[in-house]
């Protein structure tokens, strides 16, 4: 029996009268998708979203003869894991992307550009025989259409257990297929799973590789130098001292370091979508952080990875002025050691960048010892600033309140900077950014409209403070209003919902 007849017969038998009424609206594009080609050569968007254009009358006549104004939808598009449309590969002349998603579950998003649709969305797919199947209504679907810039989105988490290889997913609204998407569906095997078990990571904040010297020259210019000789002061503490955060007695200094360490881990957990105490949720990245001097988390059956914080960037010209360096471990296949000299987070390089920025230097001048400032902890009114839940707003207007605001700002921004670099370098050793286009890469080094600043093969710069962009493309003003974060694509990989195929 010809494939077209098989397809039509199956749909009519399975979905009955309701589908028969709407069949003329969407049968043509689907048959065109199947005609003469196997699924692996089907285009990414079979109808190029042309079926989304409302060519019908804007008025719908119901059985009660009441007329309802149909919302105007400019177009529809179907995506995965909250990726922007540009990353789905629909741009004219652009490379067609096939994102690899696991049979164990993925987020599907149906986007309506324009007004809010009246009907809920459903999902379907074309199988290997070009037979259209409607998926059952997912129990975890978002209740309805949610507003987003330019329109509305409907989302659901769905398992694709019975599917394999290339599959054309379809968005169905009011019985009409409005958009289609070619994806690669495969089982999340241990070889493809970056977090089959929880990955333990040790963060060493006690590294002592150098002697830090911050001096002014005869012209009053500030210079940050480092001698490759340990001085019994860990390199992170030396940077905090140079900035002006270690200017009190032993109790002040120890308490501040403890707070800095605690906040750094909380920032890391936040970046990786964990609760502040490290508890994992369904959306959390399966990674466990612990600091030097702390007991390791319960054994997970995976060897420990580690990263160290402190020191200066390598003298090799290709690495000069880097904030960090780590091994790139595609699909997080092995335990990684980013704690060896030459790897990890380079706090001296970060300090050099901060004080070379006129705005950064102006902020720190009142507290930097080398500039004659009064470091925190050195004045009698400083002690309350270390109290839990201290709020500068509780102070009267004046120098004391200004100093307290500066303290919280300096602590927050420096901790955010260090923890962001730690998260970035760990991200490399978890498998980011895999170079090339999906399903074998994560767009590392691939030009496209999603790119703000072109990057090398293992970085990506999307709008906003993306944790996986290079330091050269970092815009300090962005983190004044936005906390650095992984993009939806990076989170999709870290959450094991977007796979990188060999």
């Amino acid at each position: 029996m010809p494939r077209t007849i098989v397809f039509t017969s199956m749909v009519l038998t399975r979905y009955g009268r309701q589908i028969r009424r709407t069949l003329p609206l969407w049968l043509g594009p689907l048959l065109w998708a199947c005609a003469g080609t196997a699924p692996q050569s089907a285009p990414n968007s079979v109808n190029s979203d042309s079926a989304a254009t409302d060519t019908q009358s804007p008025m719908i006549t119901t059985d009660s003869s009441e007329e309802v104004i149909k919302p105007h939808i400019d177009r529809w598009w179907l995506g995965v894991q909250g990726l922007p449309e540009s990353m789905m590969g629909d741009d004219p002349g652009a490379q067609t992307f096939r994102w690899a998603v696991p049979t164990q579950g993925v987020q599907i998003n149906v986007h309506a550009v324009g007004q809010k649709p009246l009907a809920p969305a459903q999902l379907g797919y074309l199988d290997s025989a070009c037979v259209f199947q409607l998926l059952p209504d997912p129990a975890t679907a978002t209740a309805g259409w949610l507003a987003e810039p330019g329109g509305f989105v409907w989302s659901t988490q769905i398992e694709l257990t019975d599917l394999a290889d290339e599959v054309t997913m379809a968005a169905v609204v009011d019985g009409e297929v409005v958009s289609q998407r070619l994806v690669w569906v495969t089982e999340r095997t241990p070889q493809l799973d970056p977090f089959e078990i929880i990955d333990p990571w040790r963060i060493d904040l006690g590294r002592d590789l150098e002697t830090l010297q911050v001096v002014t020259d005869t012209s009053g210019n500030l210079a940050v130098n480092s001698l490759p000789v340990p001085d019994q002061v860990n390199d992170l503490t030396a940077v905090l001292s140079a900035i002006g955060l270690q200017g009190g007695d032993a109790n002040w200094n120890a308490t501040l370091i403890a707070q800095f360490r605690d906040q750094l881990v909380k920032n890391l957990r936040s970046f990786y979508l964990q609760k502040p105490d490290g508890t994992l949720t369904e959306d959390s990245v399966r990674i466990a952080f612990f600091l030097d001097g702390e007991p390791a988390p319960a054994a997970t059956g995976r060897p420990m990875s580690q990263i160290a914080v402190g020191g200066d960037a390598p003298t090799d010209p290709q690495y000069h002025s880097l904030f960090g360096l780590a091994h790139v471990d595609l699909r997080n296949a092995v335990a990684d050691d980013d704690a060896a000299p030459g790897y990890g987070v380079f706090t001296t390089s970060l300090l050099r960048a901060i004080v070379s920025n006129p705005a950064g230097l102006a902020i720190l001048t009142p507290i930097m010892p080398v500039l004659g400032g009064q470091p925190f902890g050195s004045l009698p009114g400083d002690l309350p600033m270390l109290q839990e839940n201290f709020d500068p707003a509780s102070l009267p207007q004046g120098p004391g309140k200004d100093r307290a605001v500066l303290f919280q700002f300096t602590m927050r921004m420096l901790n955010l900077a260090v923890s962001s670099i730690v998260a970035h370098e760990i991200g490399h050793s978890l498998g980011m950014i895999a170079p090339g286009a999906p399903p074998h890469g994560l767009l590392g080094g691939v030009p496209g409209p999603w790119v703000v600043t072109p990057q090398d093969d293992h970085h990506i710069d999307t709008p906003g403070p993306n944790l996986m962009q290079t330091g050269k493309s970092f815009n300090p003003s962005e983190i004044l209003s936005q906390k650095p974060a992984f993009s939806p694509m990076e989170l999709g990989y870290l959450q094991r919902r977007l796979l990188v195929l060999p």
Side-chain angles (χ1 to χ4, degrees):
M1 183 181 297
R3 186 168 55 190
T4 299
I5 298 176
V6 172
F7 165 74
T8 306
S9 175
M10 184 283 299
V11 172
L12 293 178
T13 301
R14 180 166 182 173
Y15 301 113
R17 182 181 178 188
Q18 177 182 2
I19 300 300
R20 285 198 296 271
R21 283 202 305 264
T22 60
L23 191 59
L25 297 175
W26 51 267
L27 178 58
L30 289 180
L31 295 182
W32 179 78
C34 293
T37 61
Q40 59 267 24
S41 59
N44 181 48
S45 185
V46 176
N47 59 1
S48 300
D49 289 332
S50 59
T53 304
D54 185 8
T55 59
Q56 307 299 317
S57 169
M59 308 301 291
I60 301 175
T61 303
T62 66
D63 291 339
S64 60
S65 298
E66 295 178 354
E67 290 186 338
V68 179
I69 298 177
K70 186 177 181 180
H72 177 75
I73 308 297
D74 294 327
R75 58 192 174 87
W76 306 82
W77 63 278
L78 188 149
V80 297
Q81 286 303 127
L83 297 185
E85 187 176 11
S86 60
M87 281 189 173
M88 299 309 302
D90 281 342
D91 289 338
Q95 183 176 359
T96 297
F97 298 152
R98 292 172 174 84
W99 289 96
V101 301
T103 58
Q104 292 90 337
V106 65
Q107 182 186 92
I108 304 292
N109 315 109
V110 181
H111 301 263
V113 180
Q115 297 178 355
K116 186 176 182 179
L118 295 177
Q122 288 181 280
L123 297 176
Y125 68 93
L126 285 170
D127 66 13
S128 58
C130 278
V131 174
F132 184 74
Q133 308 274 1
L134 260 180
L135 293 167
D137 291 336
T140 57
T142 300
W145 295 92
L146 301 178
E148 66 173 359
F152 294 82
V153 60
W154 176 93
S155 303
T156 185
Q157 298 280 352
I158 192 163
E159 293 186 1
L160 305 170
T161 307
D162 297 330
L163 305 184
D165 299 329
E166 288 189 323
V167 173
T168 300
M169 300 296 300
V172 181
V173 180
D174 201 18
E176 177 184 357
V177 173
V178 295
S179 183
Q180 300 179 54
R181 174 75 55 205
L182 190 65
V183 296
W184 187 280
V185 180
T186 186
E187 182 183 359
R188 190 173 57 218
T189 62
Q191 291 74 27
L192 296 178
D193 191 344
F195 297 99
E196 184 185 15
I197 55 180
I198 296 176
D199 194 5
W201 273 81
R202 177 179 178 268
I203 318 295
D204 182 7
L205 301 180
R207 181 156 71 175
D208 177 18
L209 298 178
E210 65 176 26
T211 298
L212 179 66
Q213 296 178 336
V214 182
V215 297
T216 54
D217 59 23
T218 55
S219 300
N221 297 317
L222 202 62
V224 177
N225 304 315
S226 62
L227 301 176
V229 179
D231 61 356
Q232 308 305 310
V233 177
N234 75 65
D235 299 332
L236 174 60
T237 298
V239 167
L240 297 181
S241 297
I243 283 177
L245 289 169
Q246 289 279 277
D249 58 18
N251 180 64
W252 167 279
N253 292 340
T255 302
L256 185 137
I257 289 292
Q259 291 184 358
F260 194 93
R261 288 164 60 94
D262 180 67
Q263 187 56 50
L264 185 140
V265 174
K266 288 180 178 178
N267 278 337
L268 286 175
R269 289 169 176 165
S270 175
F271 295 148
Y272 287 91
L273 303 189
Q274 301 176 6
K275 294 184 177 180
D277 64 356
T279 301
L280 304 183
T281 68
E282 182 180 353
D283 292 327
S284 298
V285 182
R286 291 156 59 86
I287 185 172
F289 300 108
F290 67 103
L291 298 178
D292 57 283
E294 297 178 347
T300 64
R302 181 183 172 98
M304 179 188 68
S305 296
Q306 60 181 348
I307 187 170
V309 175
D312 207 350
T315 56
D316 188 320
Q318 68 172 322
Y319 295 142
H320 187 61
S321 299
L322 286 181
F323 297 151
L325 191 64
H327 296 88
V328 178
D329 180 7
L330 298 181
R331 292 176 291 277
N332 195 25
V334 298
D336 292 285
D337 184 8
D338 297 328
Y343 288 88
V345 175
F346 309 131
T347 50
T348 300
S349 182
L350 175 62
L351 174 63
R352 190 177 291 114
I354 292 173
V355 299
S356 65
N357 183 299
L361 185 59
I363 291 171
L364 297 177
T365 294
I367 59 172
M368 287 189 70
V370 70
L371 298 177
Q374 295 175 307
F376 291 118
S378 64
L379 298 184
D382 290 347
L383 189 58
M385 294 189 297
L386 291 180
Q387 295 175 358
E388 187 176 1
N389 299 323
F390 172 74
D391 185 1
S394 63
L395 299 177
Q397 294 293 335
K401 183 174 184 176
D402 295 340
R403 184 172 172 86
V405 170
L406 178 59
F407 173 75
Q408 287 200 341
F409 178 81
T410 304
M411 280 284 284
R412 176 182 177 273
M413 299 306 291
L414 185 61
N415 198 289
L416 201 54
V418 175
S419 58
S420 295
I421 302 171
V422 173
H424 173 105
E425 300 306 334
I426 289 178
H428 282 313
S429 292
L430 298 178
M432 299 186 295
I433 295 290
H440 305 290
L442 293 174
L443 300 178
V446 177
W450 58 87
V451 175
V452 177
T453 304
Q455 309 277 281
D456 60 39
D457 284 355
H458 295 295
H459 294 88
I460 192 167
D461 184 9
T462 54
N466 186 340
L467 283 168
M468 294 312 300
Q469 66 191 50
T470 62
K472 290 182 179 179
S473 60
F474 173 68
N475 182 357
S477 64
E478 288 182 334
I479 64 173
L480 296 177
S481 59
Q482 294 177 267
K483 186 174 181 178
F486 291 114
S487 73
M489 181 203 67
E490 294 142 17
L491 285 176
Y493 165 78
L494 293 171
Q495 293 167 327
R496 313 153 72 214
R497 296 167 186 165
L498 294 176
L499 303 179
V500 176
L501 305 185

